[in-house]
Amino acid sequence: MRLFPSLNLFSEVFQQSTDQTMRVFMKQRWISILRITAAIAAGVWFPLRVVFFDALVPADFAVEGVVFTIAMVSLFRNTSDTSRSEMWLSVLESVPLFLLFYPALGSSAELLAIPKILLLRHLFRIRDLLDSMDSLHPVLARILPLSAIVPIVMHTVACGWIFLGSGTAGTDPEPWVEYVRALYWTVATLATVGYGDISATTPLQMLYASITMVGGVAFFGYVLSNVAAMLARMDAAKEQHSALLDRVETFMRFNRVPPEMRGQIRDYFRYVWESRRGYDDSFVLSSLPQKLRSDLHLYLNSGLIGKVPIFRDASPEMLHDVLAELKTLIVVPEEIIFHSGEPAESMYFIHRGSVGVYSAQGEQLAILDEGSFFGETALITANVRTATLRAHTYCDLYVLHRSALETVISRYPEFRTHIEKTAQDRLRMRVA
Amino acid sequence: MRLFPSLNLFSEVFQQSTDQTMRVFMKQRWISILRITAAIAAGVWFPLRVVFFDALVPADFAVEGVVFTIAMVSLFRNTSDTSRSEMWLSVLESVPLFLLFYPALGSSAELLAIPKILLLRHLFRIRDLLDSMDSLHPVLARILPLSAIVPIVMHTVACGWIFLGSGTAGTDPEPWVEYVRALYWTVATLATVGYGDISATTPLQMLYASITMVGGVAFFGYVLSNVAAMLARMDAAKEQHSALLDRVETFMRFNRVPPEMRGQIRDYFRYVWESRRGYDDSFVLSSLPQKLRSDLHLYLNSGLIGKVPIFRDASPEMLHDVLAELKTLIVVPEEIIFHSGEPAESMYFIHRGSVGVYSAQGEQLAILDEGSFFGETALITANVRTATLRAHTYCDLYVLHRSALETVISRYPEFRTHIEKTAQDRLRMRVA
Amino acid sequence: MRLFPSLNLFSEVFQQSTDQTMRVFMKQRWISILRITAAIAAGVWFPLRVVFFDALVPADFAVEGVVFTIAMVSLFRNTSDTSRSEMWLSVLESVPLFLLFYPALGSSAELLAIPKILLLRHLFRIRDLLDSMDSLHPVLARILPLSAIVPIVMHTVACGWIFLGSGTAGTDPEPWVEYVRALYWTVATLATVGYGDISATTPLQMLYASITMVGGVAFFGYVLSNVAAMLARMDAAKEQHSALLDRVETFMRFNRVPPEMRGQIRDYFRYVWESRRGYDDSFVLSSLPQKLRSDLHLYLNSGLIGKVPIFRDASPEMLHDVLAELKTLIVVPEEIIFHSGEPAESMYFIHRGSVGVYSAQGEQLAILDEGSFFGETALITANVRTATLRAHTYCDLYVLHRSALETVISRYPEFRTHIEKTAQDRLRMRVA
Amino acid sequence: MRLFPSLNLFSEVFQQSTDQTMRVFMKQRWISILRITAAIAAGVWFPLRVVFFDALVPADFAVEGVVFTIAMVSLFRNTSDTSRSEMWLSVLESVPLFLLFYPALGSSAELLAIPKILLLRHLFRIRDLLDSMDSLHPVLARILPLSAIVPIVMHTVACGWIFLGSGTAGTDPEPWVEYVRALYWTVATLATVGYGDISATTPLQMLYASITMVGGVAFFGYVLSNVAAMLARMDAAKEQHSALLDRVETFMRFNRVPPEMRGQIRDYFRYVWESRRGYDDSFVLSSLPQKLRSDLHLYLNSGLIGKVPIFRDASPEMLHDVLAELKTLIVVPEEIIFHSGEPAESMYFIHRGSVGVYSAQGEQLAILDEGSFFGETALITANVRTATLRAHTYCDLYVLHRSALETVISRYPEFRTHIEKTAQDRLRMRVA
């Protein structure tokens, strides 16, 4: 499974489109990217500035400017579907109040930056953004947002810790050392490691640590359990196959199935897994509307269609109709598909594997390979099988039941002609 | 999803009712609120008084008084359904034994307050109380009680820790600092952080810490896992849709479905999600009794009923009967709904989208929009379709099968008249 | 739900039985109890003796004696189903090698007590023992064994820690203080709290702590997750009901169902929960063999049988047969059960609630209560309903379909007579 | 359940095979084992050498040599299915760059060993390797790889910690003491215990500890949850049975089922569990292709076949056909299987238990044991049962329905002869 998003993620972001709906969609995506950028910039910068800076620094102008510009661009490019309350929120979170009032209020203007917290809600757009990128595995689209949100939460908690005095770690001439220590304390607390080399001293710090533990531990636990669940789902097919195998093994142990039979049963499940990866076609197909289902069916069976002569030059309509009626069947080596003399109920197409044709006396008449079909003779000209068919290898067969065959033949007489001709050729051969 | 309970929670609590059953129910609710209040008051006060106070303080009188009054009121207003044992429990937990015996026994009368622990069982009423409030999201109704129980547990553990001497933290001239330190130790222990800056010194403290760890960690873990499970269920529909998408994606990857077809399949699932939010109507409908199901059906389809002329002036009984027989069907753009010349099995109503009518020669005869119906011609006057119908957009259709149509027509002859008239008009038009 | 095992647990253990199989079973149970006792005694004593005692003490004789005696008793009372390897194991774990070789080897004879570890496997018998006690809630039977195994694991880890020198805690003149400290360290490590006030100093202690952390944390985590899962299952029915309600609520929100209809739908689910506790009878019934199912059915419906006159004096065989054919149906107030003039398909018995009988003109003819039946008229004497039936309250009805009725009547002609008589009386009344 | 892999694991690894496919498979397995060995050697050695050695030591030559040799052998023995990129990776990770450039660069040549990290990907082959070993329980095959990967991760983290200065632990004259301390710190961090006796001092160490906590805790949590899930699945059948019992118990409590009936119901479930271990045959059987299913069926019922006289000398084809039609049925003591005079629908074979034959007047005519069949009389010669059959014990029966019997008889006339003979004998006996 290809886990890491390749470069076409970037090409997707920058792709052009002439389609009107698509262009609106692309504009929306760009606005999302801009707002997420603004949210990250504000989320990173403001806690830092509160803790480490007294005077105005260039970064203040940069961040406030970026946030404001992005908000204005988003509002004016996106007016159609913006509610009135959403517009006011946008204004509230983006107006650079801190800058405007700093000359008057000094450092205490930092309180006016509190509405910037609202910007963080744009981080939830990350999931929608990634969901809309087709080249990304859908599970990743749900894990990546966490890798943006978790660091910002940690950063904020760490800055709060510095603000309250850093506990036993105290202040440090080097701000970055102070920051690393606070981050270390934060991670040790959220991950419930709690070394205790740095700990709270004042009652306020103790309350802060307590809240961080309760809230943060819950948050961390939630994130971890989610990620685990998602990773588990990435290989759901393999997991389901393993569960089936487990049940089969326990069953065989309890019933003391002899080793030889166990081997055959295991081989069978190995074959099924290798040839189909355990993906149950029918589940996916049944959740699609008819046209897509039939298109997909046609695509999936293009191999079979290329191999079976009567399908090769059939019209698409007929193919649709025939394929819709086919059922798959796996037979194991030496399995007898039908006995000579049995009543005939269906005909078969070989998708993979080879099958031997035997007379009632057990004499081998022919070997049929991929792309052959058999069993049509009895279905059309007579009522009982005229030969015994036995699988030589594992075979993937497609079965067409009598009633389905009759429906198809009634609609497409050319199908009947082709099959009857083959049937007569074979009958003559066997009689000869 | 609206997570936070709005003000109508309060209006619900205070609402009046003239209905007899409702009034009993409202009285019960009030008694619940009072008993929860008593439980919280006792749970917060008694540990504090044991640890910090020697003499009687006014709060003793207040809390004991409130608890006793509430218990008496509950008993006398609620005599009908109170069992004998429940009554004795109520008396035992509410009689102010501590106050009565304080003059004689001094501080050791605190032991007589132990039965107050029984009051805590009333905290479990919180869930029932919230469950009965209709304006609260049902998941919240199960999370909120924890936010009452968890702090009381923490408070009690912290007071116990102070009682045993607070370990290495020792006593402090300021009781509130002592309390904050004990709470900090409690949270660090329950959340398994265990900084170790405050730790046990005497064997008794060590035993207390050990019990807190085993019991408390289990409790904390249980709470966290419950909350995680509930949050997961809040967006069950989205989750289920994602799981389906994951399977479809894996299937498409394994079978190397070409990009164009992938796009169509993804578009389809996006359409289904947007138009229905993935809520499977049939599941909810099937769990209702017939009358509610049919009322709900009528409501959900009021859009369709308003659009389709033959439904607009139908009697409610006929609508009930027709709607019960309709099946929904989604078709994708360019999907052919039926071919000219095919045998007819059902008629269709357009709920959303538009459909083109084509002659057998491929000439476009008409375009049908929301509220139109088609396919009735062949069903009533002939046996094979007289035109080819192809979807122009995604369409939400309702299908009425031949047998269902016949049942309806036999009961409501006016339905037949209307449909036959339309059918003849159309036939004439096509012939012309 | 009654969580705590009552005194009849003890009576169960000591109960006598005259039945042969039962007596074997009781003997087995006694042997289990004895072996578990031996395992606990050895598991508690040997770690302690290694750590705290040098010379022989009376407890050595007591424990070794008890273990040996119990093993011998078990072997000789239980010879039938003991395998040869099991017998040798029993001897190996019970022979008092330590006592025998102490005179020769001194303290180093403790090494000969290592096979006593094998005794711990008997602890797994606790679950089987509890599973066989019918008066214990089955979930408890799976939680209680843990409360025996977890303390023994902790005890052993703590003694090992003392043996290695107790880390920074060091030795203490008082052995019990030393033990409490070691236990405190063990719990803090297993619960991943890790205060760090006591920690490893020598490399050996560090290795011991590391192994305890890896193994112990896994064990602790496993135990906790198991307990949580089991507690969750204790109220599975309520949980399932809540999940259904959540889906219904989300559905109603998405479709903006009007408040009045929401109220009705919520009332319905409340009624279903109150009257049936959400236990799906059919699931349990379908997993039983026919005789038990029919006995249980008879018991569950004894209320109905007592109320309905035609059932009261029916033979048990007839009751079996009729009850097996009844289906349950809940109708809401004002729901019309059938209209006058409709074709008749089934007859109804009222289990709970009341139903009004109305003429085609809407005039109320009668009110039917619990134990009445209706709808038989049309089924027997005519083909269409002769009255309209409307529910006045929530009703629990039992439905008997026409084909089932005919089967019953063909077998029990007296049933026909009774029903026909009632039907004619009613018809006459309506005509009158 | 046998958890520990026995010695035949080793015999499996070394087994010879004459089959061509098998020999390729065996070669692949050997290459896997070699590559895993190389990965472990490199993963253990390189971190150690970076931390503890400056000069070249013999182990350098040994490890580099082994890695290079194995890579070359794998490449040349395995050329067929190796992609070009895989080949370059192999070369990159195995060329002993460190050794080649040590003379020129000295210790800083260690940087050239970084591509050796790529070797670790071969550790994922462990699961495939174990999966292919049939004598290993499939759950173990998924747990064992973790016991290889987890120690290597811990080892690497510990070496990194030493490299950065070991925090407050500092360096030690004895390298192995230093290593044990680092490992102790690593385990305490990953298991979130965090004693804090050893902690980070420099900012770099703090960053390293933070990353270890976030990454490592997630990894550890993932591993633990996986192991717990797998252990849970090992006893899935028992678990499922317990869940069913829980539901039944809750049902019986809610409905106040009387104790005697409870006892019977519990006995029944105990019988089902003991006799079948709760493994639902039909599930496993239905997932197999027809030939394996019928072979397995034949094997599972070999007991029945040996007991029932008419099966003992039947042809394999007939057995196949009859067994496919049999349904299992459990009856409880005193259950009446059919009444004299009832219409006959099926015949029965006794697999276990005993059944009494009674005349219509209640007189006991015969007792039938394992291997008997009954109910054939009415099926063949008449239309109603000529006797009443009542179970004396719990019975495992196989039921052959009338229509299935007719199909079998039409194919195998000898079956009819045998059954008719028995039926006439019995009739004569009863008449007599």
Side-chain angles (χ1 to χ4, degrees), chain C residues 44-354:
Chain C
V44 170
W45 172 246
F46 280 101
L48 279 180
R49 87 114 22 253
V50 170
V51 173
F52 290 113
F53 299 95
D54 277 336
L56 279 187
V57 291
D60 280 322
F61 292 94
V63 172
E64 290 266 26
V66 163
V67 167
F68 187 67
T69 315
I70 288 175
M72 289 307 108
V73 167
S74 310
L75 269 184
F76 287 104
R77 283 317 208 79
N78 200 17
T79 43
S80 57
D81 62 338
T82 317
S83 70
R84 189 156 277 260
S85 65
E86 174 61 28
M87 212 181 73
W88 282 109
L89 270 182
S90 257
V91 170
L92 184 65
E93 75 196 12
S94 66
V95 172
L97 291 172
F98 168 65
L99 281 189
L100 295 174
F101 287 88
Y102 186 83
L105 301 169
S107 251
S108 55
E110 280 168 348
L111 289 173
L112 294 170
I114 287 174
K116 294 280 183 295
I117 290 170
L118 290 170
L119 283 166
L120 294 179
R121 76 202 150 94
H122 297 299
L123 290 179
F124 292 104
R125 292 170 180 241
I126 299 180
R127 175 161 170 187
D128 288 338
L129 181 69
L130 294 174
D131 259 351
S132 71
M133 295 197 178
D134 288 338
S135 55
L136 197 66
H137 191 287
V139 166
L140 263 189
R142 266 162 283 145
I143 290 181
L144 284 182
L146 295 175
S147 61
I149 294 170
V150 168
I152 287 191
V153 168
M154 287 182 175
H155 171 75
T156 312
V157 171
C159 289
W161 180 244
I162 297 175
F163 185 74
L164 292 177
S166 295
T168 51
T171 54
D172 195 286
E174 296 270 18
W176 73 270
V177 174
E178 212 173 325
Y179 179 75
V180 168
R181 280 189 193 160
L183 200 66
Y184 170 68
W185 175 86
T186 304
V187 173
T189 300
L190 291 183
T192 78
V193 173
Y195 290 114
D197 51 343
I198 300 173
S199 55
T201 50
T202 69
L204 211 60
Q205 287 169 4
M206 286 178 179
L207 278 178
Y208 186 77
S210 301
I211 291 161
T212 304
M213 284 186 259
V214 172
V217 164
F219 173 74
F220 215 69
Y222 179 66
V223 166
L224 280 186
S225 75
N226 260 21
V227 171
M230 281 179 216
L231 287 177
R233 214 157 66 195
M234 285 196 81
D235 207 0
K238 177 88 190 171
E239 215 41 54
Q240 213 174 319
H241 185 73
S242 301
L244 173 59
L245 275 190
D246 287 357
R247 280 187 77 163
V248 171
E249 286 289 333
T250 331
F251 174 81
M252 296 196 298
R253 269 152 200 261
F254 178 69
N255 287 296
R256 296 206 193 76
V257 171
E260 190 196 0
M261 205 178 278
R262 285 193 198 197
Q264 286 173 13
I265 290 175
R266 281 185 196 122
D267 280 354
Y268 168 70
F269 283 109
R270 219 170 270 160
Y271 176 79
V272 170
W273 175 248
E274 295 298 337
S275 69
R276 307 205 172 167
R277 272 293 114 94
Y279 297 129
D280 186 2
D281 302 26
S282 59
F283 173 78
V284 169
L285 287 171
S286 73
S287 66
L288 290 173
Q290 211 200 316
K291 178 164 180 295
L292 293 181
R293 199 187 323 153
S294 115
D295 286 355
L296 192 57
H297 222 188
L298 214 56
Y299 169 76
L300 294 176
N301 293 301
S302 51
L304 180 70
I305 296 166
K307 285 176 208 157
V308 179
I310 45 169
F311 288 166
R312 227 173 293 153
D313 15 67
S315 67
E317 284 82 17
M318 179 185 134
L319 278 178
H320 271 162
D321 286 359
V322 174
L323 289 173
E325 303 289 353
L326 293 180
K327 307 264 169 284
T328 60
L329 176 73
I330 293 180
V331 295
V332 300
E334 298 310 305
E335 179 160 349
I336 287 171
I337 301 165
F338 53 73
H339 283 282
S340 169
E342 274 184 10
E345 291 303 326
S346 23
M347 68 173 291
Y348 301 80
F349 299 90
I350 306 179
H351 182 42
R352 221 173 304 177
S354 86

Side-chain angles (χ1 to χ4, degrees), chain B residues 160-352:
Chain B
W161 181 244
I162 297 174
F163 186 75
L164 293 176
S166 294
T168 51
T171 54
D172 195 286
E174 297 269 20
W176 73 270
V177 174
E178 212 172 325
Y179 179 76
V180 167
R181 280 189 193 160
L183 199 66
Y184 169 68
W185 175 86
T186 304
V187 173
T189 300
L190 291 182
T192 77
V193 173
Y195 291 115
D197 51 342
I198 300 173
S199 55
T201 49
T202 69
L204 211 60
Q205 287 168 5
M206 286 178 178
L207 278 177
Y208 186 77
S210 300
I211 292 161
T212 304
M213 285 186 260
V214 172
V217 164
F219 173 73
F220 215 68
Y222 179 66
V223 166
L224 280 187
S225 75
N226 260 20
V227 171
M230 281 180 216
L231 288 177
R233 214 157 65 194
M234 285 195 81
D235 207 359
K238 178 87 189 172
E239 215 41 55
Q240 212 173 320
H241 184 73
S242 301
L244 172 59
L245 274 190
D246 287 356
R247 280 187 78 162
V248 170
E249 286 288 334
T250 332
F251 174 82
M252 296 196 297
R253 270 153 200 263
F254 178 68
N255 288 295
R256 296 205 192 76
V257 172
E260 190 196 0
M261 205 178 278
R262 285 193 198 197
Q264 285 174 13
I265 290 175
R266 280 184 196 125
D267 280 354
Y268 168 70
F269 283 109
R270 219 168 270 161
Y271 176 79
V272 170
W273 174 249
E274 294 299 336
S275 69
R276 307 204 174 168
R277 273 292 114 97
Y279 297 129
D280 186 3
D281 302 26
S282 60
F283 173 77
V284 168
L285 286 171
S286 72
S287 65
L288 290 173
Q290 212 201 315
K291 178 166 179 293
L292 293 180
R293 198 186 325 153
S294 116
D295 286 354
L296 193 56
H297 222 188
L298 214 58
Y299 170 75
L300 294 176
N301 294 300
S302 51
L304 180 70
I305 295 166
K307 286 176 207 156
V308 178
I310 44 168
F311 288 165
R312 227 174 293 154
D313 16 66
S315 67
E317 284 81 17
M318 180 184 133
L319 278 178
H320 270 163
D321 286 359
V322 174
L323 288 174
E325 304 288 354
L326 293 180
K327 307 262 170 284
T328 59
L329 176 74
I330 294 180
V331 296
V332 300
E334 298 310 305
E335 180 160 348
I336 287 172
I337 301 165
F338 53 71
H339 283 281
S340 170
E342 275 184 9
E345 290 304 325
S346 24
M347 67 173 291
Y348 302 80
F349 300 90
I350 306 178
H351 182 42
R352 223 174 302 177

Side-chain angles (χ1 to χ4, degrees), chain C residues 203, chain D residues 52 162 166 169-182:
Chain D
F52 291 112
I162 297 175
S166 294
T171 53
D172 195 287
E174 295 271 18
W176 73 270
V177 173
E178 213 173 324
Y179 178 75
V180 167
R181 281 188 193 162

Side-chain angles (χ1 to χ4, degrees), chain C residues 290-291, chain D residues 329 331-342 344 346-350 353-369 372-378 384-393 395 397 426 429-430:
Chain C
Q290 211 200 316
K291 178 164 180 295
Chain D
L329 176 74
V331 295
V332 299
E334 299 310 306
E335 180 161 349
I336 287 172
I337 301 164
F338 53 72
H339 283 281
S340 170
E342 274 184 8
S346 24
M347 66 173 292
Y348 301 81
F349 299 90
I350 306 179
S354 87
V355 164
V357 186
Y358 296 85
S359 70
Q361 290 74 37
E363 187 193 350
Q364 177 167 326
L365 303 174
I367 293 183
L368 302 174
D369 283 319
S372 306
F373 58 93
F374 59 88
E376 78 298 340
T377 323
V384 296
R385 301 298 191 190
T386 56
T388 295
L389 273 278
R390 196 162 75 218
H392 284 178
T393 61
C395 298
L397 304 179
R426 291 204 185 153
M429 184 183 80
R430 265 161 232 176

